[in-house]
Amino acid sequence: MPVYALGHDVGPDRTDRPQAVVVVGNVVRGADDGRLRWNGTVPVGCVGAPVFVGVPLGDQRLKPVCLGVVLPAVDTRHPVAAFDGIRSAVRELPDPSSSTTPDTPASASGRWWRRAR
């Protein structure tokens, strides 16, 4: 599917960094593992950039939906970390409220990365 990565121009002569559509490309789902991959090259400085797809709403309108973020290249392709994978990885992190280190704030009673229900 066609996608857009949003980022900043990181050229050496830039003094400001305005938000811009840096690259337009395609994302494909791997047949072997089901993971998303950017199909093409990604400019320097775009690792970590959010990847959006435009969902047509009719009447020449689009709804931007963020698929995830561009990761560093593996072989010749850049994986895209989809939010379902990011959420799973975050769930596997240790619970910071169960830590007994001195750096743990006294108010760390809940899991800070989970939404309130």
Side-chain angles (χ1 to χ4, degrees):
M1 73 176 61
V3 292
Y4 313 90
L6 297 180
H8 305 279
D9 182 355
V10 294
D13 59 342
R14 299 297 300 207
T15 57
D16 60 341
R17 293 182 51 163
Q19 187 75 40
V21 174
V22 174
V23 65
V24 177
N26 290 293
V27 167
V28 295
R29 185 174 296 278
D32 55 342
D33 60 6
R35 293 186 177 187
L36 298 176
R37 289 179 182 81
W38 188 274
N39 194 18
T41 59
V42 174
V44 173
C46 282
V47 170
V51 177
F52 290 88
V53 62
V55 177
L57 296 175
D59 296 328
Q60 299 181 344
R61 296 180 303 143
L62 290 175
K63 174 183 175 182
V65 176
C66 189
L67 297 178
V69 296
V70 178
L71 296 177
V74 176
D75 297 322
T76 60
R77 285 194 162 163
H78 287 268
V80 174
F83 286 116
D84 58 341
I86 294 170
R87 286 185 199 104
S88 296
V90 169
R91 275 190 217 101
E92 294 174 13
L93 291 172
D95 183 349
S97 66
S98 64
S99 175
T100 57
T101 64
D103 295 336
T104 303
S107 64
S109 60
R111 294 185 175 180
W112 57 270
W113 62 83
R114 293 208 178 143
R115 282 191 212 165
R117 294 180 188 210

